[in-house]
């Protein structure tokens, strides 16, 4: 089954074709970063407009690279389904993708499936590491979400923990803004941190004992207070600040995820979302998982950040488990809750 997916939830206009949930036939991503950079963050209205301008070209590119066409006279070369992200995300941006997907589907008699962006990030490791199967513990860390999700079966998810305030990527972005490092902040801080001393500025670790939730807004405030201590910071100071901040975020994300996997006796950890591109996070997870014999799956960087291949892959598993197009509400939603179960609490190890 070949699925054409469209992703416009935030600041990337993306389309992809994936075969049977695993094989990427094409993946086109047009980033809007240059549009938003002057404003040091995503401007929702600009995002919607840029999607409108770019989407047709990106979809055409993805179809061409996959040697597919929407032309009804070429039935064998048509996608079997169209998947589109319907949430969570920016409402205007989501609407552009949804309207385009519905128009393509209606005009060409192809069923349209509305997909959850978080499920896409959760399943993105599978695209690069085809042997990953549930049960696994997923960490989705992006600009809008930080969630620890137990995938029991395909489509059967339990939300184990989530951020109570800022998402991890949001904290990187806000700190970069405070330090005037540009947008998006995660990659800049990561690059500077590689050459910095992570022990020079000890930032607090928000463990939130007794829960599997996360919190990053206090860490961001600590950085704000730290920055107020001096009016001028040298390039070396900035590298050390970035390294110390990154160390605190990564320490909490990785140790809490690994502790949860041990408690749940789940032998696979799968990490997705833009923050999974973080170099220290990737190294630290590997260091923690290796001695415990935990299988770690983190996709290559282009599958961590927003893309449509992950949406096509999630749609494949949804269709395989029997979801009908009509069963999915193709309505943009800023929040889509995952199933919640009562789960045991986190106890930090000394
Ligand atoms: O998944 P994504 O592309 O979009 C959302 O769904 O939000 O994630 C974007 C987020 C941004 O906050 C960005 O700063 C962060 O991922 N990010 C990183 C890195 N690369 C992207 N954060 C830390 N280190 C990175 N290398
Ligand atoms: Zn995302």
């Amino acid at each position: 089954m070949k699925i054409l997916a469209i992703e416009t939830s935030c600041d990337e206009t993306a389309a992809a074709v994936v075969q049977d949930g695993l094989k990427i036939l094409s993946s086109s991503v047009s980033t809007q970063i240059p549009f938003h950079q002057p404003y040091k963050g995503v401007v929702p209205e600009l995002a919607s407009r840029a999607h409108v301008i770019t989407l047709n070209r990106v979809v055409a590119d993805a179809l061409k690279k996959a040697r597919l066409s929407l032309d009804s006279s070429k039935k064998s070369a048509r996608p079997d389904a169209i998947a589109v992200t319907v949430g969570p995300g920016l409402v205007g941006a989501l609407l552009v993708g949804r309207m385009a997907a519905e128009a393509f589907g209606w005009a060409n008699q192809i069923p349209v499936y509305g997909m959850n962006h978080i499920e896409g990030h959760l399943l993105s490791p599978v695209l690069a590491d085809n042997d990953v199967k549930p049960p696994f513990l997923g960490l989705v860390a992006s600009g809008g979400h930080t969630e620890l999700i137990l995938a029991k079966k395909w489509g059967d998810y339990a939300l184990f923990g989530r951020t109570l305030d800022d998402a991890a990527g949001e904290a990187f972005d806000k700190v970069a803004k405070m330090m005037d490092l540009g947008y998006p902040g995660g990659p800049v801080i990561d690059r500077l941190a590689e050459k910095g001393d992570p022990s020079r500025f000890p930032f607090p670790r928000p463990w939130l004992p007794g829960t599997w939730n996360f919190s990053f807004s206090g860490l961001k405030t600590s950085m704000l207070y730290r920055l107020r201590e001096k009016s001028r910071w040298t390039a070396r100071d900035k590298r050390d600040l970035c390294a110390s901040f990154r160390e605190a975020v990564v320490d909490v994300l990785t140790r809490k995820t690994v502790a949860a996997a041990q408690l749940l006796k789940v032998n696979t950890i799968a990490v997705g979302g833009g923050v999974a591109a973080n170099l220290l996070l990737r190294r630290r997870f590997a260091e923690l998982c290796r001695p415990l014999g935990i299988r770690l799956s983190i996709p290559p960087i282009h599958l961590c950040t927003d893309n449509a291949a992950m949406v096509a892959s999630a749609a494949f598993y949804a269709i395989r488990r029997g979801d009908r197009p009509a069963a999915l509400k193709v309505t943009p939603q800023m929040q889509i809750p995952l199933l919640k179960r009562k789960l045991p609490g986190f106890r930090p190890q000394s």
Side-chain angles (χ1 to χ4, degrees):
M1 169 179 277
K2 290 176 185 167
I3 299 179
L4 166 69
I6 293 174
E7 156 62 47
T8 63
S9 66
C10 191
D11 59 350
E12 318 281 359
T13 312
V17 178
V18 175
Q19 186 166 7
D20 298 333
L22 296 176
K23 191 170 174 204
I24 302 175
L25 301 183
S26 65
S27 180
S28 301
V29 180
S30 169
T31 182
Q32 301 179 357
I33 288 172
F35 291 106
H36 301 291
Q37 237 150 10
Y39 307 94
K40 299 178 181 172
V42 180
V43 181
E45 181 58 28
L46 284 185
S48 310
R49 290 174 190 215
H51 287 311
V52 171
I53 293 165
T54 319
L55 187 57
N56 270 341
R57 180 174 54 75
V58 171
V59 170
D61 186 60
L63 286 168
K64 190 171 164 210
K65 286 186 181 140
R67 294 175 192 279
L68 292 188
S69 155
L70 294 175
D71 184 345
S72 56
S73 66
K74 297 179 186 157
K75 281 226 159 9
S76 61
R78 277 159 37 105
D80 300 288
I82 297 173
V84 60
T85 302
V86 292
L90 303 171
V91 171
L94 289 166
L95 268 171
V96 176
R98 175 230 162 144
M99 299 310 275
E102 288 207 335
F104 288 135
W106 179 79
N108 299 289
Q109 303 289 297
I110 299 171
V112 178
Y113 292 78
M115 299 306 303
N116 185 327
H117 183 79
I118 305 300
E119 188 176 13
H121 278 310
L122 178 69
L123 301 186
S124 62
V126 182
L127 273 171
D129 189 357
N130 291 177
D131 295 332
V132 172
K133 290 184 179 53
F136 64 80
L137 182 65
L139 171 68
V140 174
S142 70
H145 293 81
T146 301
E147 299 189 353
L148 210 43
I149 299 164
L150 174 63
K152 298 189 80 182
K153 295 184 199 145
W154 299 114
D156 182 0
Y157 310 126
L159 183 61
F160 203 63
R162 65 184 171 86
T163 181
L164 299 179
D165 39 59
D166 290 352
E170 188 181 356
F172 274 107
D173 293 340
K174 286 179 175 167
V175 161
K177 197 170 178 177
M178 285 176 206
M179 296 178 70
D180 215 10
L181 297 176
Y183 157 85
V188 190
I189 292 185
D190 201 16
R191 190 165 35 80
L192 292 174
E194 285 292 291
K195 294 190 187 115
D197 172 4
S199 60
R200 178 151 165 228
F201 300 102
F203 283 106
R205 304 290 196 264
W207 292 118
L208 307 192
T211 84
W212 293 93
N213 292 326
F214 301 101
S215 165
F216 297 106
S217 73
L219 203 48
K220 180 191 67 191
T221 312
S222 308
M223 175 63 97
L224 182 69
Y225 288 140
R226 179 67 73 170
L227 289 172
R228 281 184 185 159
E229 284 171 14
K230 278 204 282 182
S231 57
R232 284 183 67 85
W233 294 86
T234 65
R236 190 184 153 202
D237 290 339
K238 286 188 179 176
R239 288 197 296 271
D240 294 345
L241 281 166
C242 287
S244 304
F245 175 77
R246 179 180 74 161
E247 178 67 38
V249 175
V250 167
D251 195 21
V252 174
L253 283 174
T254 54
R255 281 177 56 190
K256 225 161 160 171
T257 304
V258 170
Q262 285 183 289
L263 178 92
L264 294 165
K265 301 195 172 24
V266 175
N267 205 35
T268 303
I269 290 178
V271 192
V275 179
N278 189 273
L279 299 171
L280 179 68
L281 181 119
R282 298 169 82 93
R283 291 196 294 267
R284 186 63 52 78
F285 260 127
E287 283 160 21
L288 291 173
C289 289
R290 207 175 302 118
L292 297 171
I294 294 175
R295 187 186 200 290
L296 173 68
S297 184
I298 311 184
I301 287 170
H302 67 277
L303 290 174
C304 294
T305 47
D306 284 351
N307 64 89
M310 66 184 197
V311 179
S313 182
F316 170 77
Y317 294 104
I319 295 169
R320 203 179 60 173
R321 66 183 179 250
D323 288 353
R324 312 295 314 163
L328 288 160
K329 233 171 118 197
V330 187
T331 302
Q333 294 163 65
M334 290 178 81
Q335 300 290 334
I336 303 186
L338 281 165
L339 187 68
K340 264 194 186 174
R341 292 214 185 84
K342 192 148 174 51
L343 295 158
F346 168 70
R347 299 270 163 263
Q349 285 165 6
S350 53

